[in-house]
Amino acid sequence: MDNITSPYLILHRNMRSGNWNSDAIMRAIMVDEHLAKNGAARQKAWEIIGERLDFSIDTSQSGISLAIDCIGNKGLLYADEKVSLICHRADEAFFARQAQSVLDAARHGCVVVSAFISSKEREVKWLLMQESLPVIEVMNDGFSPQYHPYGASYDACVAGKLVQLSPWAFSPQSGNKLTREVCLVTNELVRVISKTPDDWWKRD
């Protein structure tokens, strides 16, 4: 299939979820120990995040809500079994165990949800792609009107094994800049979608 015939290469705009709201953004900010303790820094982070988030008018509620754009197999979002992949520096010594737990879960039918920010997370993504295992990827930038995945991600989307999500508004000026604030928000969306704690793999 190609980008003309594949239904998975259609860009869907302004999706909403009752769990993706301002409370989720505040949870994301509060994960950072410094921001949790420093009110001024927390307010600044909120402003930085707010400038990049995708807001949309909800005509049914006459208000403004957070939006999510996606491309790929939306059916993966409704899978009963999902697990998160968020690698923390404190757990670097246990990465092999975490990676194996994620791969085992995916091989047994779980959809893996991750922003694939760190090199370790991207390493696991490559392994997942090699085995055509199902993945939900939270992107760190908005989708341009002409966006489509490329490389292995393109093939995975066409095969229905990948859906990419973005909570960010597209801006040519953003330069795909990865900041601490962006990392906090994308990882919180991973938690919201997967409904699993970061350390689920330690409980196996």
Side-chain angles (χ1 to χ4, degrees):
M1 288 187 291
D2 57 29
N3 60 358
I4 296 176
T5 60
S6 174
Y8 298 135
L9 292 175
I10 298 172
L11 187 57
H12 299 274
R13 299 284 192 184
N14 297 327
M15 296 174 55
R16 298 184 185 86
S17 167
N19 296 322
W20 188 240
N21 50 37
S22 58
D23 290 341
I25 303 304
M26 184 54 70
R27 285 199 308 273
I29 292 173
M30 295 299 284
V31 167
D32 186 284
E33 185 175 346
H34 171 67
L35 297 178
K37 295 179 179 178
N38 188 312
R42 188 163 60 248
Q43 179 60 35
K44 181 62 176 177
W46 181 268
E47 293 171 359
I48 292 172
I49 292 168
E51 289 177 356
R52 293 189 58 180
L53 276 176
D54 191 4
F55 295 94
S56 66
I57 301 299
D58 186 344
T59 55
S60 65
Q61 298 182 9
S62 300
I64 298 175
S65 62
L66 297 181
I68 299 173
D69 299 332
C70 84
I71 188 169
N73 182 5
K74 292 195 297 180
L76 297 177
L77 298 170
Y78 307 105
D80 291 331
E81 300 293 334
K82 295 187 282 286
V83 294
S84 62
L85 170 62
I86 299 176
C87 295
H88 295 285
R89 290 183 181 178
D91 293 325
E92 282 184 357
F94 309 104
F95 172 68
R97 176 184 170 189
Q98 182 179 12
Q100 191 61 55
S101 294
V102 170
L103 288 170
D104 287 345
R107 289 166 181 159
H108 285 86
C110 290
V111 178
V112 178
V113 188
S114 181
F116 300 111
I117 294 170
S118 71
S119 60
K120 296 295 186 184
E121 292 164 359
R122 291 193 294 273
E123 182 178 331
V124 177
K125 179 185 178 182
W126 183 84
L127 295 172
L128 292 165
M129 293 292 184
Q130 288 293 301
E131 296 188 34
S132 296
L133 296 169
V135 172
I136 297 171
E137 181 177 12
V138 179
M139 309 297 283
N140 59 35
D141 201 5
F143 295 133
S144 72
Q146 297 80 30
Y147 177 82
H148 62 75
Y150 59 90
S153 293
Y154 177 93
D155 294 336
C157 266
V158 171
K161 297 296 184 178
L162 172 68
V163 60
Q164 294 180 328
L165 305 178
S166 174
W168 309 106
F170 171 69
S171 171
Q173 288 75 38
S174 72
N176 202 30
K177 186 177 181 181
L178 187 61
T179 65
R180 174 62 174 163
E181 292 82 7
V182 167
C183 293
L184 290 170
V185 172
T186 52
N187 279 338
E188 185 59 28
L189 185 50
V190 168
R191 297 182 189 104
V192 167
I193 295 170
S194 67
K195 300 178 182 178
T196 55
D198 298 4
D199 62 352
W200 65 269
W201 53 274
K202 296 180 180 179
R203 304 172 187 180
D204 288 352

